[in-house]
Amino acid sequence: MDVVLAKIKAWPLFLLVMICNFSFAEQASLADSPQWRALLHYQTSPYPFSRQQFSQVADSEFFLDKNGKHDPEAELNANLQQLQSNKCRFPARTLWLAKQTGQQITLEDCDELNDWLKQFASDEVYLHFPSNYLNNPSSVFGHTFLRLHKRDRSALLDPIINYAAVSNTQNPAKYIVSGLTGGFPGVFAMHPHYLKKREYTVTENREIWSYKIKLTQEEINRFLLHFWEIKDRQFNYYFLNQNCSYQLMALLDVAISDISLLDEFHNVALPIDTIKFLHNHQRLELANFHPSFIDEFRLHSTTLNNAEKQRVLALTQCPASNVLEEDTGQILRLSSDYLEYLIQQDLRPRKCAHQQMAILQKASKEKSYLPPVFPSPEVAPQDAHPSAKIGVGFQSVSGALLNFRLGYHDLLDSIAGFKPGQEIILGDFAYDIERNKIADYKLIGLKSLSASDEFFQPLSWAFEISGRRYDDELNSALHHQVILGVGKSLQIGRGLAFVLLNTSLSYNRDSNTDVLLTPEFGYLYNGETINSSQTLRIEMPASDWQEKRLVLASKQTVNFTNDVQLSFSAEWLHHDSYQQGNIALSLSYLF
């Protein structure tokens, strides 16, 4: 009898253990769910043989458990224990946990949160893509930001959500190294849309593509609740992966639960690739295109003759010419726009310029002028060619070649979806199969050929870290070089004529280190299918000017489709003691 009673008394304890075990199993399952990982920004270690998880949020106040940054389950348990008390601080994760555990929790008494939600209530969310900007390393591949739109509010007054690095250095080398290694804190910020639009299109001369993200109202609300949780938190900023586009995708990953937005972007997250990903999953629809100020101004001024252009220049000086009766509405409008641009660029004294601006705006109202609408490009960024490239080819100097490029766009790629005269190359290698060695490489190559005219005189420039191999009979070693060049470009027809003065630091194991001064003259043509470039370089070593080399090169590409390209090049090198010619042909696939 005592044995039976003991067994009966043990049943409650047994049931309690079973319930606890079930609860623990459920909590472990929740902690490993994609939605919990998205809410806490957890990722798995990228290192081989390591499955450790950690949150990308660098701010300790984002976690309730002391080990929450590295332990999703411990953080989930801490949140479950403090669900009611932290609901106003972490509303998105609170409502999700309440739903998973069958609890009823409301946010009605969260006054500060509700005031903020009223201020930023939105019906639609837009993704904006300012094109690449080579003068800022963090925007070399473009940028993305989000705009919160309400139907009864002007788009220019919409708030935008921006993620960027907080830099504490003016040293370019330190800036690049810190940006590549996560040395800068990354923070979210909100700004009025009109300020950012002016910054990108006027100050930085960038075009902007806008896309409406297909979200339900429930998804928008979930997105806003999560942004409330992280808007004051810090992350570590990385140029190539955990950058603006990656963190915006992480935000959207909480709102969109039917697809995982971050699985594709563990290593590199380029803005254009995130746009293509959302577009391919039918989550984007194209809204509109905003040209850069310079492109729009050039379109509006194409019908001016030389005398009218001189009037615009005269009306925007300080002191300026008086407005004349014969000045047309077009001249006055363009003068007003151009002067505003000059003020933004700090190219005119503000007091004098603002006085003249008032005169021009008053005069232009009396003479109507309707500027032409800037046409949207036929190809949007999401339909542009892929970034990576692989190819096979043949060159007369050595034989078969294997080519590979990690990214992104060179001057002879199809310009559909890109701005002409811009080159961004990462990891471009040519492998000589016959000699079993690298023929040439380009670790990084940046080139900006911006045309000058009467109104705008931007610098053209180039930077690259590269290497090439000359004929084996002359020198079997790779010539490694760092090149920096500046110059000017001029629009001629559909092409750009350019002059660059390049300075390079060159090294190879046979002739050691040398500094070269290399004037470069060229013409770049971009057609619908065929692109070509012709260049003449004069390579002059500082150690011995008599050892100069003349290099004449002609390159053509035929872009059959977005992902298939045929390239032909011919190069002739002249030196006092030798001459070398090389012809190459290659077929490439972009992916």
Side-chain angles (χ1 to χ4, degrees), residues 209-225:
W209 292 84
S210 302
Y211 302 84
K212 180 183 175 182
I213 306 176
K214 298 178 182 178
L215 297 174
T216 65
Q217 191 59 54
E218 180 183 354
E219 290 172 330
I220 293 174
N221 294 342
R222 190 159 59 236
F223 168 85
L224 289 171
L225 289 176

Side-chain angles (χ1 to χ4, degrees), residues 38-54:
L39 283 162
L40 274 295
H41 296 254
Y42 286 118
Q43 72 167 18
T44 303
S45 172
Y47 300 111
F49 312 112
S50 174
R51 299 300 298 168
Q52 183 183 8
Q53 297 187 70
F54 64 95

Side-chain angles (χ1 to χ4, degrees), residues 412-426:
L412 299 183
D413 285 338
S414 171
I415 62 167
F418 290 88
K419 202 165 186 175
Q422 304 285 303
E423 177 173 272
I424 306 167
I425 295 177
L426 285 179

Side-chain angles (χ1 to χ4, degrees), residues 15-247:
L15 290 173
L16 180 62
V17 170
M18 290 296 294
I19 292 170
C20 288
N21 285 340
F22 176 77
S23 176
F24 293 153
E26 240 187 357
Q27 289 183 20
S29 176
L30 286 179
D32 198 41
S33 68
Q35 194 68 6
W36 179 248
R37 291 169 56 85
L39 283 162
L40 274 295
H41 296 254
Y42 286 118
Q43 72 167 18
T44 303
S45 172
Y47 300 111
F49 312 112
S50 174
R51 299 300 298 168
Q52 183 183 8
Q53 297 187 70
F54 64 95
S55 173
Q56 294 172 339
V57 181
D59 196 328
S60 61
E61 293 186 6
F62 187 68
F63 309 99
L64 297 182
D65 187 272
K66 64 179 181 179
N67 298 318
K69 182 175 176 66
H70 300 281
D71 192 336
E73 189 172 353
E75 181 63 21
L76 183 136
N77 292 337
N79 277 264
L80 285 173
Q81 293 169 17
Q82 305 174 52
L83 207 57
Q84 186 67 35
S85 59
N86 280 284
K87 66 179 184 179
C88 300
R89 181 180 169 192
F90 301 119
R93 69 172 83 163
T94 296
L95 292 183
W96 182 79
L97 284 172
K99 182 179 180 181
Q100 304 306 310
T101 56
Q103 301 183 54
Q104 295 295 322
I105 292 182
T106 67
L107 305 174
E108 293 177 358
D109 53 341
C110 298
D111 296 337
E112 187 179 353
L113 168 63
N114 288 317
D115 289 342
W116 184 87
L117 289 173
K118 288 177 183 177
Q119 182 181 359
F120 296 108
S122 307
D123 306 310
E124 298 168 335
V125 178
Y126 287 81
L127 177 64
H128 290 252
F129 173 56
S131 60
N132 58 285
Y133 180 54
L134 295 184
N135 291 334
N136 184 341
S138 66
S139 295
V140 163
F141 301 104
H143 182 61
T144 50
F145 64 89
L146 299 174
R147 174 166 62 89
L148 307 177
H149 181 61
K150 195 169 177 61
R151 294 188 184 95
D152 59 357
R153 180 174 60 213
S154 167
L156 288 175
L157 298 178
D158 282 342
I160 67 105
I161 295 175
N162 191 57
Y163 178 80
V166 180
S167 171
N168 55 2
T169 179
Q170 298 297 320
N171 185 320
K174 184 178 179 182
Y175 186 85
I176 293 173
V177 171
S178 296
L180 291 172
T181 58
F184 293 134
V187 296
F188 287 96
M190 301 188 79
H191 309 279
H193 178 216
Y194 69 88
L195 287 180
K196 277 296 175 182
K197 183 179 178 183
R198 182 191 303 165
E199 175 187 336
Y200 292 127
T201 60
V202 179
T203 306
E204 298 183 355
N205 187 36
R206 300 162 73 175
E207 57 193 29
I208 301 177
W209 292 84
S210 302
Y211 302 84
K212 180 183 175 182
I213 306 176
K214 298 178 182 178
L215 297 174
T216 65
Q217 191 59 54
E218 180 183 354
E219 290 172 330
I220 293 174
N221 294 342
R222 190 159 59 236
F223 168 85
L224 289 171
L225 289 176
H226 182 56
F227 182 65
W228 166 267
E229 296 176 338
I230 66 164
K231 64 183 178 66
D232 299 318
R233 307 302 171 202
Q234 284 191 2
F235 297 73
N236 292 323
Y237 190 97
Y238 295 82
F239 285 160
L240 294 180
N241 47 14
Q242 295 173 34
N243 52 24
C244 61
S245 294
Y246 181 93
Q247 296 299 356

Side-chain angles (χ1 to χ4, degrees), residues 3 43 63 190 277 292 332 369 382 405 411 482 498:
V3 174
Q43 72 167 18
F63 309 99
M190 301 188 79
F277 180 84
S292 70
L332 295 171
Y369 166 68
Q382 72 273 10
R405 184 187 77 191
L411 292 175
V482 179
F498 61 91

Side-chain angles (χ1 to χ4, degrees), residues 391-393 395 398-404 428-441 469:
V392 293
Q395 65 175 356
S398 63
L401 288 176
L402 181 64
N403 301 292
F404 174 76
D428 194 356
F429 297 90
Y431 184 74
D432 188 330
I433 297 175
E434 238 177 79
R435 299 179 182 179
N436 193 28
K437 59 180 67 174
I438 294 174
D440 60 67
Y441 72 88
R469 195 182 300 276

